Amino acid sequence: MGGIVDFDVCFPSARADIRAMHTASGVALAELASITHCESFPVLADGEQAWELALTAARTVLHRTGIDPSRIAQVVCAGSGEWDRPFWSPAAKVAHALGADHAHSFEVTNFCNGGMTAIRLLSTAGALREGEYALVLVSDRLSRMVDYSDPDSKALFNFGDAAAAVLLEGGAGRFRVLHSAMRTDGSWADYYAGEPADNRVVIRRAAHRKGLADAYVRQFTALVDETLDVLDRSRDDIAHFLINHGDRDMHLRLLDAIGVPGDRSVFLYDRLAHMGGADTLIALGALDAAGRLRPGELIMLATSAMGFSWGITTLEYQG
């Protein structure tokens, strides 16, 4: 399988604040704080576009690695499919801006599991030749699809925005992709869906249905065990377990279920909410910046998405 050479995350310039959410929705501040876990977090400003954030992250990665854009064979943009413009290719836009004129550019839609799905597709044997590169862009506009005036949508009020760029190569890179395990429970397909409202798409939830939290634990635990069986490793071998930054209580519950202590994960809830598909990359970057990674360590990225899909992407840090 291939590997991650480098990655970067770019944040937008505005912030969502729970006081403004309270004014718009009438939901109590304390309840909002229990959902967002922080008083404010990054979101797109008026006129700011997600593809531009992805472009900034990609330029940072290419500058840092010194890779010429002409060597990029694939540019993939992953997210919800609600791009900055309808019926449009953000991957093609970014590739052209970078000068990656020989690349095949396309999109992958799997919501907050999209980035890891794209990495899965591009890191399989034969997807990239030795010395060939691919760029995965994780880009979405989640905050723009939240209706803060609807108290029934309060579970989505923690949706923030961030964009990431991940450079893959046919070799091992800094983070070798060891395994990818994913599955979808389509019985939840209609639980969340978009609808047109005021010249935009907003996300609405269907009538409340119990069992989603249990499904998270059940699906993730099964995927962890499946991965460890394939790799002939044990849960004790998991050096770092990083999860989508959606719900702190679920984060803790999942760590407990798989037997991974909290100090083997990353918690950024004091300043960041759910930053879409960039969550686990933000956490991985935090580990790297803090000097907490050691060669040979096993890193699991647990991602989930509307649909509902779950994924465990396992990396080995190369140093």
Side-chain angles (χ1 to χ4, degrees):
M1 300 185 80
I4 296 173
V5 179
D6 196 8
F7 65 93
D8 193 69
V9 178
C10 183
F11 293 98
S13 61
R15 298 186 71 84
D17 192 287
I18 62 172
R19 287 171 286 269
M21 297 176 193
H22 163 69
T23 300
S25 67
V27 179
L29 281 171
E31 187 174 1
L32 291 172
S34 71
I35 295 168
T36 64
H37 305 294
C38 55
E39 291 189 354
S40 69
F41 50 88
V43 295
L44 289 164
D46 290 342
E48 201 166 28
Q49 300 192 74
W51 78 267
E52 294 175 324
L53 298 182
L55 174 61
T56 298
R59 281 176 169 159
T60 298
V61 168
L62 294 181
H63 176 74
R64 195 157 56 209
T65 58
I67 299 300
D68 191 295
S70 65
R71 299 177 66 186
I72 299 174
Q74 311 272 357
V75 177
V76 184
C77 190
S80 69
E82 285 296 325
W83 315 119
D84 296 290
R85 300 174 66 186
F87 202 72
W88 179 75
S89 174
K93 183 73 172 178
V94 172
H96 179 66
L98 290 173
D101 296 322
H102 301 293
H104 173 214
S105 302
F106 61 97
E107 285 68 43
V108 168
T109 299
N110 198 213
F111 305 93
C112 294
N113 193 50
M116 294 303 136
T117 300
I119 289 173
R120 178 183 189 176
L121 292 171
L122 294 170
S123 60
T124 56
L128 291 172
R129 296 190 297 269
E130 194 75 28
E132 196 173 55
Y133 296 89
L135 194 60
V136 171
L137 311 170
V138 181
S139 177
D140 242 323
R141 311 163 57 250
L142 293 183
S143 72
R144 295 299 180 89
M145 294 184 279
V146 178
D147 182 359
Y148 296 120
S149 69
D150 177 18
D152 290 337
S153 297
K154 62 187 178 184
L156 308 177
F157 285 11
N158 68 333
F159 280 13
D161 303 309
V166 182
L167 185 66
L168 300 172
E169 69 171 359
R174 288 187 68 218
F175 299 89
R176 182 184 172 202
V177 181
L178 291 182
H179 189 260
S180 172
M182 296 181 178
R183 62 177 58 170
T184 300
D185 182 351
S187 70
W188 293 93
D190 295 325
Y191 197 48
Y192 286 100
E195 68 176 40
D198 300 324
N199 297 316
R200 65 184 179 124
V201 173
V202 296
I203 306 169
R204 302 291 187 200
R205 194 196 72 187
H208 179 65
R209 173 185 166 190
K210 294 182 179 179
L212 186 55
D214 292 337
Y216 266 78
V217 174
R218 182 175 64 254
Q219 299 286 7
F220 271 139
T221 301
L223 291 171
V224 166
D225 289 340
E226 174 188 322
T227 297
L228 294 174
D229 285 345
V230 170
L231 298 178
D232 194 25
R233 309 288 279 270
S234 72
R235 293 185 180 184
D236 289 339
D237 293 321
I238 304 172
H240 307 283
F241 191 87
L242 311 178
I243 183 173
N244 272 12
H245 218 254
D247 185 320
R248 189 176 187 276
D249 292 338
M250 174 55 65
H251 193 151
L252 292 168
R253 179 180 171 185
L254 182 58
L255 291 176
D256 183 63
I258 62 175
V260 172
D263 61 4
R264 290 197 220 163
S265 194
V266 173
F267 296 81
L268 301 172
Y269 295 95
D270 60 321
R271 57 186 177 87
L272 292 175
H274 174 36
M275 311 309 294
D279 275 346
T280 52
L281 294 169
I282 294 169
L284 184 59
L287 286 176
D288 197 12
R292 292 175 57 188
L293 298 174
R294 299 292 179 269
E297 285 187 330
L298 211 65
I299 306 164
M300 284 191 171
L301 311 183
T303 49
S304 56
M306 291 181 183
F308 259 81
S309 293
W310 292 267
I312 293 290
T313 304
T314 304
L315 310 176
E316 182 182 65
Y317 182 57
Q318 304 297 295

